[in-house]
Structures are given as C-alpha cells and as structure tokens.
Amino acid sequence: MALRLPKLLLGLPSYGINGIAVALGIALIQIVIGASFGTVAALTAATGAILGSLADVPLAPRRTRRRVLTAALLGCGVSLLVSLLKPWPMALGAATVLLSFAASMTLVWGVRAGPISFVPILALVFTMATPPSSGLQPLLVHGGWTLLGAVLYLAWASCTSTLLQPRLRTLALAAALEATADLLRSRGELLAADDPEGPAARPLQDWIKRQMVLDERLQAARDLLFAAPEPTLPQRQIAMLLLAIDLRDTLLASELDLELLGRDAAAHRLRQALAAAVAEMAMVLDGVARAVRLQQTEAPALSGAADTLRQLVSTGLFDHGDRRERLATLSLNRAGHMRDDLARIQAALRGEPVPLPLSHAELQLFVSPEGWPLQAVRAHLSLASPVLRHALRMALALGCAYFIALALPWASHPHWLVLSVAVVLRGNLEQTLARRDARVAGTMLGCVLVLGLSLLGAPWLSTLIFLLAVGIAHAFVTRRYLVTATAATVMALLQAHLAHPAGGFGIGERLADTVLGALLAWGFSYVLPWWERRSLKNLLARVLRSLGALARESLRWPEGEAPDLQLRLARREVFDAMGVIATSAQRTRAEPERVRLPLFSLAALLVQAHVLLAQLAALRTLLKRRRDELDATQTQAALQAAAAQLAHLLAAPSSASNEELATLAGSEAPLLSLSEDDASLMPWLHRRLAMITRAAARVTQAARALKDQAGGS
C-alpha cells in the first residue's frame, strides 16, 4: 500500500524533496559531530558530506549509491592532495591546472558525469579555504573528518534514496504527463489560432523548449520507473508512461493533412471544434497528472467537446462531393484514437489491469547507461573533441584565476576567484553567458542577505541559514541557477565566517572576485571555442540515420501482439537526435554571427523531420488498428518497396541525387475520394507511403541545404 504523505509534502517537486533530503543529511552529520567533537570537526565533516551530496540526485538507489561513493572517494582524495600541497603555492597552482583538466574530461561520459565533474573543483576550493596547518597529524585529522563526513553521507543517501523512491517515481511520472499535456495544449492553441501563417510564425524557441522538456522528463521517468527491481516493478505507473508516449505518437499523426482544409467558414468551424477537443484532452491529462501527484485514482472525465466535433462532421459540414468531407471524417477518427489512448491512461490510473508490452529486461534498454568505460576517453583524445577543448580551456582559465588571485591585494580568499571561474565557464558560449549573468546577480543578492544576517549576530541562526543554503543550492542547480548562485554565496560567506568568526564576512572581496571571475570565464570562453557548426556533420548524420532506422521498423508488417521493442528504441533515438539539433539551435543564437548556424535552415530541418515522424506514426496507426482489413501480401510488398526507397533516401550520407530529391520532394499525393471506413484501404496505404517518401526526400533536402549554408561543416 502506498505511503500517504501530508498535503504539504505532496506539493513539493522532486528537486525540492531532494534538496531537503540533502540539507537534512548534512545538518544531521554536522550536529552529531559538532556535539561530540566540536565546531571545527563538524565543519570539516560537513565538507566531506557536501562533496558526496553533489552526486545525490533523484535516481534509483543502486545508482545513487555508486555515484555518491564515487563522488565521496574523489572528493576526499583531492582534498588530501590539496592539503599536502598548500605550503607550496606554485605546486598548488600546477595541481589546480591538472585537477581542473581531469575533472572536465569526465564529461566524456555525458550528462550523468556532470555532478561528478564538479567534485574535484569544489574539493579544491573547500580545502584551499581551510586555515593553514603544519605537520602530518593535522592533515590526517582533517582528512579523517572529511572522509567520515563523506561516509556518513553515503549511508544517509542510500537510506533516503530507498525511502523516497516511490515518491520520486510518482513525481517523475506526473512531470512526464504534464509535459505531454503541454504538447496537447500547444497543438490546440495552434488550431484555434486559425492563422495561415501560424505554423511558420510560431516561435522556434518555444517549440524547441516544449520538445526538450518532454524528452528530458520522459527519460527521467524511464530511469526511475524502469530501473526498479522486477519484484517491485511499478507496473501501473510504467503502463501509464508507455501510454503517454503512444499518445505523443497519435498526436503527431493527428497533425497531418489539415492544411488541405482550406480557410473558409466551414474549415474554420472544423478547426475550432478540433482545437476544443484537443484542449479538453490536455485538460483531462493535466487532471491525471495532478491525480498521480496527489496519490488519487480519479481524474476529470472528458465532457462534450468530442461529441460536438462528431455532430459537426455528421451534419454535412462540407458540400456533398467535396473531398474535404472525407478529410473531416479522417480528422474525427484521429481525434478518436487520441481519446482511446487517453481512456487507457485513465483506466490505468484507476487501477485497472493494463498489460505491459515489454518485459523487465526489455525495459532496461531504455534506461540511461551507467558506468565509466575507458574507451569513451580514448575517443576524445583529439582537438576535434569538444570535451578535450573544454578541458584545456578550463585548465587554463582556473590556472590563471589561481595565480591572479595570489597577486590581488585582497588575496585572503584566493579560492573564491577560482570557484567563480569554474561555475561560470561552460562548454559553450550560450551557457557561459547565462551563468555569467546569473552568477553576478546571485552573488549580489547573497551578499545583501548575509549583510542583513550579520546585523542579527546570532551564531545559531547563521548555522541554520548555512544548512538551508546548502539544500537550496543543491536543489536548484539545474532548475534555476540564479537561486543556486544566491544560496551558494550565502553558504560560502557563512562557512568562512563560522570557521573563522574574527575574519568577518568578506562581502566586498566576494563581490570583486565574482565580477572578476565572471569576466575571466567570459574571456576564456573564446579560447579553443567549439562552435556549433563543428558538430553539424555528425548531428545531421545521426538524424538521418535514426530516421532511417525508425522508417525501417515502421514499415514492417505487424506480427500479431509481438512487442514493438525495436520500434520504441528507434523512436527514442529519433527524438534524442532531434533534441540535440534543437539544443544546437538554441546555443548557436549566442554565438558570433560569423560562425552562427542558419536558424531558418535548422528550423526547416526540424519541421521536415517532424512531418516524417507524423507520417510514420499515421502509417503505424493504420497498420496496427486496421491490419485485418488489409491484404497481407499486397501490403507487405508495398511496405518492402517503400522501405528500400527510404533506406536509399535516408542513408547517412544519402546517395540520392539532388534531382531525384527535388522530384520526390515536389510530388503530390492527392486526397482520395475514399475514407478509411471504405472497404479497401489499399489506396490509402499507397497514398500514405507516397507521402512518407516525399517527407523523407524533404528531410534529406533540408539536411543538405543546412550543411551547404553552414559552409560544408
């Protein structure tokens, strides 16, 4: 039976719960150690706990233990090394360069290595902040307390991850459902606008953001739900997630052919009715997400929007013989398919049995990879690697920051300048500029808060605020960096003050170091830069290759109730590849104009890929729902011929000539005077295959045009 939580906790997002858990763990460690061994030991142990906590993010317990253990061992090792080198500033400077290079190179393992990559930098900064000591014994004592704090936090993280796992899974599913509802709502708004320029005028940035958010949330949900041990597999939640992914496909198919409606009064009425039906489904799906979040089993039911659409179509909206009469029926059927998907999600919410289409072993294929294979490093030992370039850039920047800090007249906290550069300098210019602005603004806000706190003069309050700042900084680091920067400033100033109260808060020095560090990071972002156009060739190849694989799986005759594992894997790879292209489009906006990718061409590629996805989804819906009405022999022959042609068009690189692409891309597949309710579906199947071929040719055309305009990168 699910654990019932207080309403206050039910409203917390996963990152908020994670931040609270981190703050409580560090607080408990600091209180216990402080009560037993004093303030200095408590602060040192808290440092070890903070280093381990960097890798404590919402994950399955087994992954949490591995990552926190890695972070703890890495942080303690770096802390001991820096402690040994502190008497020799030049040697410490060289260690700063090497550590920052090695830390940045961990990004060869992808996004999952992000928290781990910052552990050596933070350990370096924390250890530089400790008062100087002489002799081996103080070093061993300091290292021992740091290690103890890290070990205690590892135990805490293991327990809290296991305890919070059901809630984290629930929140991940709710977030994915909310993002899916957002896509539905976006589609409804676009239909309701009834603007012939709507699809082209819709801001690219908004569309990119919606897609990226949904892909991110879907993968976060997969990582939590699918990674559960088989005996405790949350089958109902997994079924809802898989059904939401299917609903996304059905939504794609529903977008087709609507441009053929025209713009007269009848078309306007149909569009408005379709928009109302889609908006209603978005509202209901939002209600399902809310019910999941609040641990309820009932959600709002669909009202009358679909009935209104059905009545409108049945009343003869278009003149008899108008081909749009068939299109109206087709639109009604597609809206019905979406309602069917939504009804299955509601049934799963109520607890009705929903069989999983994939086994536990097959579900594991959709979980993000784990581990640190060394062959990933070898692939990046070249200046053609963006990771190596960033590692060299970071090493040079932190080395310069360290030696500049030693030369500054306010060098009492040289580690602050190093930290400012480390948190601002990112792997691309767009993120660096965003971090620069947020860091400066957050530092100013944090200094104001600490200045107000200093007027109160209550040590217990400073300790409490320090622990709160730890949790807030951890929770918002990937959500809103301005909040993290503010909390981190409060944390750093209070930590220094608690360790050495007579030294004051150093607010002026903190501000100066932050501004100087932001400027240094900004300047070094132009050293060995990796402009987005350098990745374009590989990105285009990945998009074409993934679309080709999806086309190959979609153009298969469905074999009974066999699981569509390969189709689902291919579909996820397509969305991942398109997400990388979308991210590239977002990043290139901040780059110098002379190296910027053409945004219009990037948008054209994304739109054409989107159309091909929709065409393939529509074909799959036809094959899945009406397989018994198709002639198997004729259909398989048509599918095989189309698959061969698409393999030719979507090869990476494609061997199709520009003339062939132009001919296929310009071809038209007229709307038939049949509906999918007629006896023979073969003409509709051939029409759909022709439209898929045209869409594939347009994708390849768009990829070539983008590559040519970007200078053949």
Side-chain angles (χ1 to χ4, degrees):
M1 184 174 178
L3 178 66
R4 306 300 297 183
L5 298 175
K7 288 186 177 181
L8 179 63
L9 293 181
L10 288 175
L12 287 174
S14 59
Y15 61 87
I17 293 176
N18 181 236
I20 292 174
V22 168
L24 287 176
I26 295 173
L28 184 62
I29 292 169
Q30 184 164 335
I31 290 171
V32 170
I33 299 297
S36 304
F37 302 100
T39 302
V40 175
L43 288 174
T44 308
T47 296
I50 291 173
L51 294 176
S53 74
L54 291 182
D56 185 7
V57 295
L59 289 170
R62 179 175 54 85
R63 294 190 167 204
T64 295
R65 286 191 292 270
R66 288 182 178 180
R67 295 194 188 185
V68 173
L69 176 61
T70 301
L73 294 177
L74 187 60
C76 291
V78 170
S79 179
L80 180 60
L81 175 64
V82 174
S83 296
L84 291 171
L85 295 178
K86 281 184 71 175
W88 300 279
M90 298 302 294
L92 183 55
T96 299
V97 172
L98 294 175
L99 287 172
S100 57
F101 175 80
S104 299
M105 282 299 293
T106 61
L107 295 175
V108 300
W109 290 293
V111 177
R112 70 181 187 274
I116 300 294
S117 71
F118 194 63
V119 170
I121 305 297
L122 198 60
L124 169 72
V125 170
F126 278 172
T127 309
M128 288 174 64
T130 59
S133 59
S134 58
L136 182 60
Q137 183 178 357
L139 295 181
L140 294 177
V141 170
H142 179 274
W145 287 124
T146 304
L147 180 61
L148 177 61
V151 170
L152 291 175
Y153 188 83
L154 173 61
W156 171 266
S158 299
C159 294
T160 55
S161 180
T162 302
L163 180 65
L164 294 174
Q165 201 62 202
R167 186 59 187 165
L168 294 177
R169 293 171 187 159
T170 296
L171 292 175
L173 173 61
L177 293 173
E178 288 167 356
T180 308
D182 196 33
L183 271 189
L184 286 171
R185 189 175 301 105
S186 171
R187 181 60 184 165
E189 292 170 355
L190 192 57
L191 284 168
D194 200 23
D195 178 7
E197 299 300 323
R202 187 174 184 84
L204 172 63
Q205 204 67 13
D206 179 63
W207 184 83
I208 289 173
K209 183 177 180 181
R210 290 175 189 271
Q211 294 288 344
M212 291 172 60
V213 167
L214 178 56
D215 289 335
E216 176 188 337
R217 292 185 181 182
L218 286 175
Q219 192 55 52
R222 292 186 190 106
D223 289 345
L224 282 165
L225 295 173
F226 296 177
E230 190 167 9
T232 61
L233 199 67
Q235 292 199 14
R236 183 173 66 92
Q237 293 179 327
I238 291 176
M240 293 178 70
L241 181 64
L242 294 177
L243 289 169
I245 295 172
D246 290 341
L247 177 59
R248 182 191 199 180
D249 252 18
T250 310
L251 173 63
L252 280 173
S254 73
E255 299 175 3
L256 297 174
D257 303 322
L258 293 180
E259 72 280 359
L260 300 176
L261 283 175
R263 295 292 166 180
D264 58 11
H268 175 78
R269 291 176 63 193
L270 180 58
R271 288 178 188 276
Q272 293 299 315
L274 282 170
V278 173
E280 183 188 53
M281 285 185 269
M283 181 271 294
V284 172
L285 191 57
D286 262 335
V288 172
R290 185 165 52 254
V292 169
R293 185 182 297 276
L294 298 179
Q295 298 181 342
Q296 299 171 352
T297 57
E298 292 295 331
L302 290 167
S303 55
D307 294 334
T308 301
L309 175 62
R310 188 178 299 108
Q311 292 172 5
L312 185 64
V313 173
S314 64
T315 55
L317 183 62
F318 300 103
D319 295 335
H320 182 67
D322 190 331
R323 67 177 187 174
R324 295 180 299 172
E325 187 177 11
R326 311 303 188 213
L327 183 57
T329 302
L330 183 58
S331 299
L332 175 63
N333 291 340
R334 289 171 177 169
H337 295 161
M338 294 173 62
R339 287 171 59 89
D340 292 343
D341 289 340
L342 185 55
R344 283 191 283 271
I345 294 176
Q346 290 176 298
L349 175 68
R350 291 191 296 267
E352 298 179 17
V354 180
L356 294 182
L358 302 174
S359 68
H360 180 264
E362 290 170 336
L363 290 173
Q364 305 313 301
L365 298 175
F366 295 88
V367 179
S368 298
E370 187 76 353
W372 319 100
L374 292 179
Q375 56 266 31
V377 179
R378 289 195 291 269
H380 287 271
L381 298 179
S382 164
L383 283 178
S385 163
V387 176
L388 180 64
R389 283 173 171 257
H390 175 60
L392 291 171
R393 188 186 313 126
M394 182 68 81
L396 292 172
L398 294 194
C400 287
Y402 172 80
F403 288 110
I404 289 174
L406 292 183
L408 289 174
W410 61 80
S412 58
H413 300 94
H415 51 281
W416 281 354
L417 183 57
V418 173
L419 180 62
S420 293
V421 174
V423 298
V424 171
L425 185 58
R426 302 289 90 191
N428 60 82
L429 183 60
E430 186 262 344
Q431 291 182 352
T432 298
L433 296 179
R435 280 290 185 97
R436 178 199 64 187
D437 298 341
R439 183 70 180 179
V440 173
T443 299
M444 291 180 177
L445 288 173
C447 287
V448 170
L449 292 175
V450 171
L451 190 60
L453 184 62
S454 67
L455 299 177
L456 300 177
W460 66 269
L461 184 59
S462 296
T463 301
L464 177 62
I465 297 298
F466 168 75
L467 295 171
L468 287 175
V470 170
I472 293 172
H474 181 90
F476 286 90
V477 67
T478 60
R479 296 287 172 174
R480 192 172 183 186
Y481 188 70
L482 175 62
V483 177
T484 289
T486 303
T489 299
V490 172
M491 180 179 69
L493 292 175
L494 290 181
Q495 185 184 40
H497 179 70
L498 290 171
H500 185 52
F505 287 98
I507 291 176
E509 183 180 343
R510 180 72 178 189
L511 284 171
D513 283 336
T514 297
V515 173
L516 180 56
L519 291 175
L520 278 173
W522 183 18
F524 271 97
S525 65
Y526 293 92
V527 176
L528 293 174
W530 183 267
W531 307 125
E532 293 303 314
R533 65 172 54 227
R534 289 180 175 270
S535 303
L536 186 61
K537 181 179 178 181
N538 291 334
L539 295 185
L540 294 178
R542 182 183 178 187
V543 168
L544 292 177
R545 189 166 52 247
S546 63
L547 285 170
L550 180 62
R552 184 171 59 253
E553 295 301 326
S554 299
L555 294 170
R556 291 184 187 276
W557 176 256
E559 298 292 342
E561 299 301 324
D564 51 355
L565 173 63
Q566 295 305 318
L567 177 66
R568 290 177 178 273
L569 287 170
R571 180 175 57 189
R572 187 187 69 162
E573 173 59 19
V574 169
F575 281 114
D576 286 347
M578 289 177 62
V580 175
I581 290 285
T583 302
S584 185
Q586 177 178 324
R587 290 174 176 175
T588 197
R589 296 167 67 92
E591 294 178 341
E593 189 172 352
R594 61 183 175 80
V595 297
R596 193 179 302 164
L597 289 173
L599 284 174
F600 181 82
S601 297
L602 277 169
L605 174 62
L606 289 172
V607 168
Q608 296 304 331
H610 185 79
V611 170
L612 178 56
L613 276 174
Q615 295 287 1
L616 292 172
L619 172 68
R620 205 63 198 170
T621 299
L622 176 62
L623 294 175
K624 182 178 180 181
R625 295 177 183 268
R626 309 190 70 176
R627 179 187 59 187
D628 295 338
E629 302 173 48
L630 290 164
D631 182 277
T633 303
Q634 293 183 39
T635 301
Q636 290 187 60
L639 292 176
Q640 289 171 6
Q645 190 168 24
L646 261 67
H648 169 63
L649 293 174
L650 295 173
S654 173
S655 57
S657 66
N658 290 333
E659 293 75 14
E660 180 184 2
L661 291 176
T663 300
L664 292 173
S667 63
E668 291 294 334
L671 186 65
L672 300 173
S673 57
L674 303 170
S675 75
E676 289 189 5
D677 293 321
D678 291 328
S680 176
L681 291 179
M682 290 307 298
W684 280 97
L685 176 69
H686 286 295
R687 177 180 183 272
R688 183 62 61 202
L689 293 175
M691 296 176 72
I692 288 173
T693 302
R694 182 182 66 179
R698 290 180 175 180
V699 167
T700 303
Q701 265 192 330
R704 286 188 183 179
L706 175 57
K707 185 176 180 181
D708 291 342
Q709 292 176 28
S713 300

